[in-house]
Amino acid sequence: MKKIISIIAVGLIFVAMSFTLSDFYSSLTKVDYVEGSKTLKFSTKLNSGHISQVLKINPNTTAFEAEVKKYVNSHIDVYVNGQNKTLTFTGSQVNGETVWVYYEAGGISDISSLKIKNNILLDVFPKQMNLVNIAYKGSQKNMTFMKGKEVNEVSF
């Protein structure tokens, strides 16, 4: 009888452990090419708790946007046709548990290859996954970044 109770108890412990909460670490970036202005526009969605933990600043403060700008500029690099492009930070928006970060790269008339380094939050959250969806002249491409795979390249 004790053996059956022990087996049931161990089974219940495993079942209970399977329902524990685990945090999901991800970002989603949408990249759109605007032909009229020859610009790649980036919109990145982050978890406000995760980015504020990394920056050690409350996302609802006025200093947050300046810290996000510095962070994005040091954790994302964009190469178009092999040439490094300067990213211009255009703003951010905090909405509850979400932070949207906006930036762009201009002076792009044609893209044959797009290489991106994206290591946002990877140094703090090893299970972080950064997804990037790219729209260029009717073509859609996707990239996934994670620890050990911080650089990706696609061709058009």
Side-chain angles (χ1 to χ4, degrees):
M1 184 72 163
K2 285 185 178 182
K3 190 174 183 180
I4 292 173
I5 292 174
S6 296
I7 292 172
I8 291 173
V10 169
L12 288 174
I13 289 171
F14 282 121
V15 169
M17 286 174 46
S18 69
F19 289 107
T20 59
L21 295 177
S22 64
D23 225 348
F24 183 70
Y25 301 98
S26 68
S27 75
L28 176 62
T29 300
K30 185 169 179 1
V31 182
D32 290 307
Y33 179 70
V34 181
E35 198 162 1
S37 62
K38 299 183 183 315
T39 304
L40 278 175
K41 294 197 176 267
F42 296 77
S43 303
T44 299
K45 180 181 178 184
L46 300 164
N47 178 287
S48 61
H50 297 164
I51 190 69
S52 66
Q53 183 179 342
V54 169
L55 298 177
K56 297 180 181 7
I57 190 166
N58 184 325
N60 297 313
T61 62
T62 55
F64 181 74
E65 186 165 88
E67 293 301 315
V68 167
K69 176 182 178 178
K70 283 192 276 187
Y71 187 82
V72 166
N73 283 334
S74 65
H75 287 82
I76 295 186
D77 290 320
V78 175
Y79 301 85
V80 176
N81 305 329
Q83 294 184 353
N84 190 6
K85 292 295 182 180
T86 301
L87 295 177
T88 303
F89 183 83
T90 58
S92 67
Q93 179 181 11
V94 178
N95 187 4
E97 292 185 13
T98 301
V99 174
W100 284 95
V101 183
Y102 307 102
Y103 45 102
E104 60 187 33
I108 301 167
S109 57
D110 191 44
I111 302 173
S112 59
S113 70
L114 179 63
K115 181 177 174 181
I116 298 176
K117 179 201 89 176
N118 180 336
N119 62 3
I120 287 180
L121 303 176
L122 292 176
D123 51 343
V124 177
F125 303 113
K127 294 183 179 180
Q128 174 78 21
M129 184 177 294
N130 299 321
L131 307 172
V132 176
N133 300 322
I134 305 153
Y136 174 68
K137 294 184 178 180
S139 181
Q140 296 283 328
K141 302 281 181 161
N142 300 304
M143 296 177 167
T144 303
F145 302 85
M146 58 188 74
K147 194 81 165 170
K149 189 177 181 191
E150 293 89 1
V151 179
N152 239 312
E153 186 169 6
V154 293
S155 297
F156 293 94

